[in-house]
mmCIF file of all heavy atoms in Angstrom:
data_model
loop_
_atom_site.group_PDB
_atom_site.id
_atom_site.type_symbol
_atom_site.label_atom_id
_atom_site.label_comp_id
_atom_site.label_asym_id
_atom_site.label_seq_id
_atom_site.Cartn_x
_atom_site.Cartn_y
_atom_site.Cartn_z
ATOM 1 N N ARG E 1 74.490 -38.635 4.924
ATOM 2 C CA ARG E 1 75.456 -37.779 4.253
ATOM 3 C C ARG E 1 75.472 -36.395 4.903
ATOM 4 O O ARG E 1 74.425 -35.798 5.151
ATOM 5 C CB ARG E 1 75.105 -37.678 2.777
ATOM 6 C CG ARG E 1 76.125 -36.935 1.934
ATOM 7 C CD ARG E 1 75.864 -37.174 0.452
ATOM 8 N NE ARG E 1 76.104 -38.565 0.085
ATOM 9 C CZ ARG E 1 75.854 -39.074 -1.115
ATOM 10 N NH1 ARG E 1 75.341 -38.310 -2.058
ATOM 11 N NH2 ARG E 1 76.105 -40.348 -1.356
ATOM 12 N N GLU E 2 76.671 -35.882 5.155
ATOM 13 C CA GLU E 2 76.854 -34.618 5.848
ATOM 14 C C GLU E 2 77.572 -33.602 4.973
ATOM 15 O O GLU E 2 78.587 -33.909 4.351
ATOM 16 C CB GLU E 2 77.650 -34.853 7.135
ATOM 17 C CG GLU E 2 78.009 -33.587 7.912
ATOM 18 C CD GLU E 2 78.970 -33.859 9.057
ATOM 19 O OE1 GLU E 2 79.557 -34.959 9.099
ATOM 20 O OE2 GLU E 2 79.133 -32.974 9.918
ATOM 21 N N PHE E 3 77.073 -32.398 4.956
ATOM 22 C CA PHE E 3 77.695 -31.326 4.198
ATOM 23 C C PHE E 3 78.988 -30.878 4.858
ATOM 24 O O PHE E 3 79.062 -30.744 6.081
ATOM 25 C CB PHE E 3 76.741 -30.133 4.083
ATOM 26 C CG PHE E 3 77.381 -28.899 3.513
ATOM 27 C CD1 PHE E 3 77.700 -28.820 2.165
ATOM 28 C CD2 PHE E 3 77.660 -27.812 4.327
ATOM 29 C CE1 PHE E 3 78.300 -27.686 1.635
ATOM 30 C CE2 PHE E 3 78.248 -26.669 3.811
ATOM 31 C CZ PHE E 3 78.568 -26.610 2.462
ATOM 32 N N VAL E 4 80.016 -30.627 4.056
ATOM 33 C CA VAL E 4 81.310 -30.194 4.566
ATOM 34 C C VAL E 4 81.623 -28.764 4.127
ATOM 35 O O VAL E 4 81.851 -27.886 4.956
ATOM 36 C CB VAL E 4 82.441 -31.128 4.100
ATOM 37 C CG1 VAL E 4 83.800 -30.593 4.548
ATOM 38 C CG2 VAL E 4 82.215 -32.537 4.632
ATOM 39 N N ALA E 5 81.633 -28.525 2.827
ATOM 40 C CA ALA E 5 81.966 -27.206 2.297
ATOM 41 C C ALA E 5 81.539 -27.104 0.840
ATOM 42 O O ALA E 5 81.376 -28.114 0.163
ATOM 43 C CB ALA E 5 83.467 -26.940 2.420
ATOM 44 N N ALA E 6 81.379 -25.874 0.361
ATOM 45 C CA ALA E 6 81.015 -25.667 -1.035
ATOM 46 C C ALA E 6 81.607 -24.359 -1.544
ATOM 47 O O ALA E 6 81.908 -23.452 -0.762
ATOM 48 C CB ALA E 6 79.493 -25.651 -1.207
ATOM 49 N N ILE E 7 81.756 -24.276 -2.852
ATOM 50 C CA ILE E 7 82.302 -23.082 -3.482
ATOM 51 C C ILE E 7 81.598 -22.826 -4.804
ATOM 52 O O ILE E 7 81.262 -23.762 -5.529
ATOM 53 C CB ILE E 7 83.837 -23.226 -3.694
ATOM 54 C CG1 ILE E 7 84.432 -21.935 -4.261
ATOM 55 C CG2 ILE E 7 84.139 -24.406 -4.619
ATOM 56 C CD1 ILE E 7 85.962 -21.937 -4.293
ATOM 57 N N ASN E 8 81.354 -21.559 -5.093
ATOM 58 C CA ASN E 8 80.847 -21.170 -6.396
ATOM 59 C C ASN E 8 82.054 -20.985 -7.294
ATOM 60 O O ASN E 8 82.907 -20.133 -7.030
ATOM 61 C CB ASN E 8 80.048 -19.867 -6.296
ATOM 62 C CG ASN E 8 79.513 -19.406 -7.638
ATOM 63 O OD1 ASN E 8 80.260 -18.963 -8.503
ATOM 64 N ND2 ASN E 8 78.194 -19.525 -7.823
ATOM 65 N N TRP E 9 82.155 -21.802 -8.333
ATOM 66 C CA TRP E 9 83.352 -21.816 -9.167
ATOM 67 C C TRP E 9 83.680 -20.461 -9.780
ATOM 68 O O TRP E 9 84.825 -20.019 -9.739
ATOM 69 C CB TRP E 9 83.205 -22.859 -10.279
ATOM 70 C CG TRP E 9 84.384 -22.913 -11.194
ATOM 71 C CD1 TRP E 9 84.540 -22.261 -12.382
ATOM 72 C CD2 TRP E 9 85.597 -23.651 -10.979
ATOM 73 N NE1 TRP E 9 85.771 -22.558 -12.928
ATOM 74 C CE2 TRP E 9 86.439 -23.404 -12.087
ATOM 75 C CE3 TRP E 9 86.040 -24.494 -9.961
ATOM 76 C CZ2 TRP E 9 87.703 -23.973 -12.203
ATOM 77 C CZ3 TRP E 9 87.298 -25.064 -10.069
ATOM 78 C CH2 TRP E 9 88.113 -24.806 -11.183
ATOM 79 N N SER E 10 82.708 -19.799 -10.352
ATOM 80 C CA SER E 10 82.953 -18.550 -11.069
ATOM 81 C C SER E 10 83.236 -17.369 -10.141
ATOM 82 O O SER E 10 84.111 -16.547 -10.421
ATOM 83 C CB SER E 10 81.762 -18.214 -11.965
ATOM 84 O OG SER E 10 81.577 -19.203 -12.963
ATOM 85 N N ILE E 11 82.509 -17.291 -9.049
ATOM 86 C CA ILE E 11 82.633 -16.159 -8.133
ATOM 87 C C ILE E 11 83.681 -16.389 -7.057
ATOM 88 O O ILE E 11 84.357 -15.459 -6.616
ATOM 89 C CB ILE E 11 81.270 -15.843 -7.481
ATOM 90 C CG1 ILE E 11 80.239 -15.533 -8.557
ATOM 91 C CG2 ILE E 11 81.389 -14.670 -6.518
ATOM 92 C CD1 ILE E 11 78.826 -15.346 -8.021
ATOM 93 N N GLY E 12 83.818 -17.641 -6.626
ATOM 94 C CA GLY E 12 84.779 -17.955 -5.588
ATOM 95 C C GLY E 12 84.214 -17.889 -4.182
ATOM 96 O O GLY E 12 84.954 -18.082 -3.209
ATOM 97 N N MET E 13 82.934 -17.633 -4.059
ATOM 98 C CA MET E 13 82.295 -17.567 -2.753
ATOM 99 C C MET E 13 82.259 -18.952 -2.121
ATOM 100 O O MET E 13 81.940 -19.934 -2.784
ATOM 101 C CB MET E 13 80.879 -17.017 -2.895
ATOM 102 C CG MET E 13 80.142 -16.791 -1.586
ATOM 103 S SD MET E 13 78.466 -16.162 -1.859
ATOM 104 C CE MET E 13 78.836 -14.621 -2.705
ATOM 105 N N THR E 14 82.578 -19.022 -0.837
ATOM 106 C CA THR E 14 82.638 -20.301 -0.137
ATOM 107 C C THR E 14 81.692 -20.335 1.050
ATOM 108 O O THR E 14 81.307 -19.302 1.601
ATOM 109 C CB THR E 14 84.052 -20.597 0.365
ATOM 110 O OG1 THR E 14 84.465 -19.556 1.272
ATOM 111 C CG2 THR E 14 85.038 -20.660 -0.793
ATOM 112 N N THR E 15 81.332 -21.541 1.462
ATOM 113 C CA THR E 15 80.508 -21.733 2.637
ATOM 114 C C THR E 15 80.936 -23.038 3.304
ATOM 115 O O THR E 15 81.337 -23.984 2.631
ATOM 116 C CB THR E 15 79.007 -21.767 2.290
ATOM 117 O OG1 THR E 15 78.241 -21.875 3.493
ATOM 118 C CG2 THR E 15 78.675 -22.950 1.390
ATOM 119 N N TYR E 16 80.853 -23.070 4.646
ATOM 120 C CA TYR E 16 81.326 -24.216 5.404
ATOM 121 C C TYR E 16 80.320 -24.665 6.441
ATOM 122 O O TYR E 16 79.515 -23.867 6.932
ATOM 123 C CB TYR E 16 82.631 -23.882 6.125
ATOM 124 C CG TYR E 16 83.775 -23.510 5.226
ATOM 125 C CD1 TYR E 16 84.008 -22.178 4.886
ATOM 126 C CD2 TYR E 16 84.623 -24.478 4.716
ATOM 127 C CE1 TYR E 16 85.056 -21.828 4.057
ATOM 128 C CE2 TYR E 16 85.675 -24.141 3.884
ATOM 129 C CZ TYR E 16 85.893 -22.816 3.557
ATOM 130 O OH TYR E 16 86.939 -22.479 2.735
ATOM 131 N N ALA E 17 80.399 -25.942 6.797
ATOM 132 C CA ALA E 17 79.599 -26.452 7.896
ATOM 133 C C ALA E 17 80.188 -25.908 9.195
ATOM 134 O O ALA E 17 81.400 -25.986 9.415
ATOM 135 C CB ALA E 17 79.619 -27.977 7.901
ATOM 136 N N ASP E 18 79.329 -25.360 10.052
ATOM 137 C CA ASP E 18 79.800 -24.761 11.302
ATOM 138 C C ASP E 18 80.519 -25.763 12.195
ATOM 139 O O ASP E 18 81.449 -25.408 12.926
ATOM 140 C CB ASP E 18 78.622 -24.158 12.069
ATOM 141 C CG ASP E 18 78.033 -22.944 11.379
ATOM 142 O OD1 ASP E 18 78.742 -22.300 10.577
ATOM 143 O OD2 ASP E 18 76.855 -22.625 11.640
ATOM 144 N N SER E 19 80.102 -27.004 12.143
ATOM 145 C CA SER E 19 80.662 -28.023 13.023
ATOM 146 C C SER E 19 82.139 -28.319 12.770
ATOM 147 O O SER E 19 82.811 -28.890 13.622
ATOM 148 C CB SER E 19 79.851 -29.318 12.900
ATOM 149 O OG SER E 19 79.901 -29.834 11.589
ATOM 150 N N LEU E 20 82.636 -27.950 11.623
ATOM 151 C CA LEU E 20 84.026 -28.252 11.301
ATOM 152 C C LEU E 20 85.001 -27.248 11.895
ATOM 153 O O LEU E 20 86.218 -27.443 11.845
ATOM 154 C CB LEU E 20 84.203 -28.358 9.786
ATOM 155 C CG LEU E 20 83.496 -29.564 9.176
ATOM 156 C CD1 LEU E 20 83.534 -29.505 7.659
ATOM 157 C CD2 LEU E 20 84.134 -30.851 9.670
ATOM 158 N N LYS E 21 84.493 -26.172 12.449
ATOM 159 C CA LYS E 21 85.267 -25.211 13.240
ATOM 160 C C LYS E 21 86.570 -24.734 12.602
ATOM 161 O O LYS E 21 87.614 -24.674 13.258
ATOM 162 C CB LYS E 21 85.555 -25.816 14.610
ATOM 163 C CG LYS E 21 84.312 -26.209 15.384
ATOM 164 C CD LYS E 21 84.676 -26.860 16.710
ATOM 165 C CE LYS E 21 83.429 -27.263 17.477
ATOM 166 N NZ LYS E 21 83.767 -27.925 18.776
ATOM 167 N N GLY E 22 86.526 -24.412 11.329
ATOM 168 C CA GLY E 22 87.686 -23.862 10.665
ATOM 169 C C GLY E 22 88.781 -24.852 10.336
ATOM 170 O O GLY E 22 89.893 -24.443 9.977
ATOM 171 N N ARG E 23 88.514 -26.131 10.442
ATOM 172 C CA ARG E 23 89.525 -27.150 10.148
ATOM 173 C C ARG E 23 89.609 -27.500 8.668
ATOM 174 O O ARG E 23 90.517 -28.230 8.276
ATOM 175 C CB ARG E 23 89.261 -28.422 10.956
ATOM 176 C CG ARG E 23 89.441 -28.250 12.451
ATOM 177 C CD ARG E 23 89.432 -29.604 13.179
ATOM 178 N NE ARG E 23 88.146 -30.274 13.050
ATOM 179 C CZ ARG E 23 87.957 -31.423 12.414
ATOM 180 N NH1 ARG E 23 88.978 -32.036 11.837
ATOM 181 N NH2 ARG E 23 86.751 -31.967 12.362
ATOM 182 N N VAL E 24 88.684 -26.995 7.879
ATOM 183 C CA VAL E 24 88.693 -27.306 6.455
ATOM 184 C C VAL E 24 88.683 -26.036 5.622
ATOM 185 O O VAL E 24 88.157 -24.999 6.039
ATOM 186 C CB VAL E 24 87.496 -28.198 6.053
ATOM 187 C CG1 VAL E 24 87.515 -29.501 6.841
ATOM 188 C CG2 VAL E 24 86.173 -27.466 6.280
ATOM 189 N N THR E 25 89.283 -26.126 4.442
ATOM 190 C CA THR E 25 89.309 -25.015 3.506
ATOM 191 C C THR E 25 89.041 -25.548 2.109
ATOM 192 O O THR E 25 89.710 -26.483 1.661
ATOM 193 C CB THR E 25 90.668 -24.295 3.513
ATOM 194 O OG1 THR E 25 90.954 -23.803 4.827
ATOM 195 C CG2 THR E 25 90.645 -23.117 2.543
ATOM 196 N N ILE E 26 88.078 -24.976 1.432
ATOM 197 C CA ILE E 26 87.772 -25.376 0.070
ATOM 198 C C ILE E 26 88.318 -24.320 -0.880
ATOM 199 O O ILE E 26 88.262 -23.125 -0.603
ATOM 200 C CB ILE E 26 86.250 -25.581 -0.132
ATOM 201 C CG1 ILE E 26 85.967 -26.215 -1.499
ATOM 202 C CG2 ILE E 26 85.494 -24.263 0.011
ATOM 203 C CD1 ILE E 26 84.523 -26.690 -1.658
#
């Protein structure tokens, strides 16, 4: 299993896997 992206629901802070090179948005 590989991590893709995550978001903190209340704050809205996001984080992404570097390997996806900006191709995804959460």
Side-chain angles (χ1 to χ4, degrees):
R1 186 166 293 174
E2 176 189 14
F3 170 73
V4 175
I7 184 171
N8 179 289
W9 179 266
S10 297
I11 302 174
M13 185 181 299
T14 60
T15 184
Y16 299 92
D18 292 337
S19 62
L20 292 172
K21 302 177 180 179
R23 293 191 296 115
V24 301
T25 301
I26 189 169

